[in-house]
Amino acid sequence: MLKSFAKLDGSRTYTFPSSPGDQTFTTNFKNLVQQSSRIPGADGGVRQYGIGRSPSPYGSIQVTLYLVSSTPAGMQAKRDALNEIVDWGVGILYDTLNGVDRWAVCSISDLTLTENRDKHTDLFQEARLSFDVPEPYWLTQGNQALWDGSNDWDSAIDWDGGSFTTITGSGTLAVTTSGSASTHARFVAKVSGAQTFNQLLIQRLANNAIADEVILQTQMVQNDVIEIDPRRQWVLLNGNDKIANCDVLFPDWLRLLPAVSNSINILLDEASAAIDANVYYYDRYT
């Protein structure tokens, strides 16, 4: 059941009607974009995505609400409160399942209120809403630190929470997520050793083969802080943009498969160089 839609800055929240029968909604999060080609003179065709998963389309959530009031004046106040969300831009839509919130970052693209006095819409009003969702998944916290957490924001590392693993020269992180869909891995590290290095290689391995790969090539020295975030598509070194110094193997950069142990291989170009590293993620559901 949808609980609320909030402005991205948290300053305003609309709470959806929650009585039985007051709302229905559907998503296209389980839809996939297929791409195939016919083979002249042969049966069937060629699937352009091979044996891999087809990509998801741009996300959409379709909602039907029913506003109920005992007076026409009360109904107009409820319409006005709902109409306000059109002006909010990008926000967070919360879906509560068994007391647990999942959310989608989205914006409203359509709100339709059809007034018909013969059907007493001044007392019982149907509303239809459409939300556009660039990332077509429901999210939960995973191991990310949320904005209302109690982590130390004065530190370049501690605000993320969690424990960091020291990697000297090379090493592997094992990351297990929940959810029902693959998610992006946000890599955060601090250069802890005195040895300067010029290349950071991050790979996700599957059956000892490279499934994803990210390479950062720039000088990194002691106490530098590195953040590589595929979800936001940014690469930062001490807060400075280094995306021009980064190469990736696939458009998703670095993925984590759900409900399995993901092997993240890390390699520095100096054997004595050391970093303290961790991988963060949101769990994603379709």
Side-chain angles (χ1 to χ4, degrees):
M1 176 178 290
L2 296 179
K3 183 175 76 172
S4 61
F5 179 67
K7 288 189 69 174
L8 204 58
D9 63 5
S11 62
R12 299 295 300 277
T13 299
Y14 177 82
T15 301
F16 291 103
S18 58
S19 298
D22 277 356
Q23 61 167 271
T24 61
F25 72 93
T26 61
T27 77
N28 70 339
F29 293 177
K30 299 178 183 64
N31 294 3
L32 298 175
V33 178
Q34 303 297 333
Q35 184 69 40
S36 60
S37 301
R38 284 279 296 115
I39 301 177
D43 294 331
V46 175
R47 186 175 186 274
Q48 299 297 331
Y49 296 114
I51 63 173
R53 173 190 179 277
S54 297
S56 300
Y58 198 87
S60 174
I61 302 174
Q62 304 296 318
V63 183
T64 300
L65 300 178
Y66 295 96
L67 308 179
V68 181
S69 176
S70 59
T71 66
M75 177 57 73
Q76 191 56 52
K78 291 191 173 187
R79 291 190 188 112
D80 291 343
L82 179 59
N83 287 337
E84 284 184 18
I85 70 175
V86 174
D87 197 48
W88 291 358
V90 176
I92 301 176
L93 183 66
Y94 290 93
D95 174 28
T96 300
L97 183 66
N98 297 324
V100 177
D101 284 345
R102 297 177 179 178
W103 66 86
V105 179
C106 57
S107 60
I108 189 165
S109 59
D110 182 72
L111 170 56
T112 300
L113 295 166
T114 302
E115 296 188 39
N116 187 333
R117 302 297 178 180
D118 291 343
K119 294 185 178 180
H120 301 288
T121 54
D122 52 350
L123 303 177
F124 186 80
Q125 173 73 68
E126 181 185 80
R128 295 183 180 273
L129 302 85
S130 297
F131 290 92
D132 287 346
V133 192
E135 183 179 3
Y137 299 95
W138 295 108
L139 306 178
T140 61
Q141 182 176 353
N143 70 344
Q144 297 268 20
L146 299 182
W147 287 95
D148 57 356
S150 58
N151 295 287
D152 182 7
W153 287 88
D154 293 327
S155 167
I157 288 295
D158 291 346
W159 68 266
D160 283 300
S163 59
F164 283 71
T165 300
T166 299
I167 305 292
T168 302
S170 63
T172 301
L173 300 177
V175 183
T176 302
T177 72
S178 299
S180 62
S182 61
T183 189
H184 292 119
R186 183 169 69 93
F187 179 85
V188 177
K190 183 175 183 178
V191 181
S192 53
Q195 176 65 56
T196 298
F197 61 98
N198 297 295
Q199 179 174 287
L200 167 65
L201 174 66
I202 308 168
Q203 300 171 324
R204 179 174 64 86
L205 303 179
N207 298 321
N208 296 317
I210 298 172
D212 290 309
E213 183 174 89
V214 179
I215 303 175
L216 176 61
Q217 294 178 313
T218 188
Q219 187 179 72
M220 288 162 273
V221 302
Q222 191 169 28
N223 295 322
D224 277 353
V225 176
I226 306 155
E227 181 180 6
I228 299 174
D229 190 341
R231 185 168 177 264
R232 294 184 174 92
Q233 294 206 332
W234 70 34
V235 179
L236 302 178
L237 180 66
N238 301 322
N240 298 311
D241 181 17
K242 290 292 182 179
I243 197 167
N245 301 84
C246 186
D247 288 316
V248 298
L249 194 59
F250 295 110
D252 278 328
W253 292 21
L254 191 60
R255 299 162 292 178
L256 299 173
L257 302 185
V260 299
S261 179
N262 294 269
S263 181
I264 307 299
N265 187 50
I266 300 167
L267 180 64
L268 312 178
D269 67 343
E270 293 287 347
S272 60
I275 60 173
D276 294 337
N278 202 357
V279 171
Y280 296 93
Y281 58 86
Y282 290 109
D283 286 320
R284 301 203 299 190
Y285 299 82
T286 55

